[in-house]
Amino acid sequence: MGVASPTATVPLYPYDVFAKELSIIGSNSLAEKYPEAAERMVDLQDELGGLVTSTFPLDEYATAMAAAKRPDQVKVQIVN
């Protein structure tokens, strides 16, 4: 799910953090919540429908990917 291994490391130069005024912010994956979220989506179809700004058939995959890069798109849906 795009989460680093517990043993992964990142080379870090503390001076760069200071000199470039960097901020290091952690986040937490909630991958274990995906099944529950998918179940709730059925009950929230009306509310969530507005998030899908475009729908494309599978054979228009390239067009869908190009559309997804546009700033006016929230969610691009590809259906089979």
Side-chain angles (χ1 to χ4, degrees):
M1 293 288 179
V3 178
S5 158
T7 59
T9 61
V10 177
L12 177 70
Y13 298 96
Y15 181 81
D16 286 345
V17 175
F18 164 74
K20 296 177 183 179
E21 297 184 6
L22 301 176
S23 296
I24 301 171
I25 302 171
S27 65
N28 184 13
S29 170
L30 298 175
E32 73 277 359
K33 297 292 185 183
Y34 287 172
E36 179 184 342
E39 288 175 15
R40 295 203 60 211
M41 290 174 91
V42 174
D43 297 331
L44 300 171
Q45 285 183 41
D46 293 335
E47 291 87 350
L48 297 176
L51 294 176
V52 177
T53 50
S54 295
T55 301
F56 294 89
L58 184 57
D59 62 347
E60 292 181 26
Y61 176 81
T63 304
M65 292 292 95
K69 294 178 182 178
R70 295 196 326 243
D72 63 319
Q73 298 297 307
V74 177
K75 292 285 181 183
V76 174
Q77 181 181 45
I78 301 172
V79 295
N80 188 2

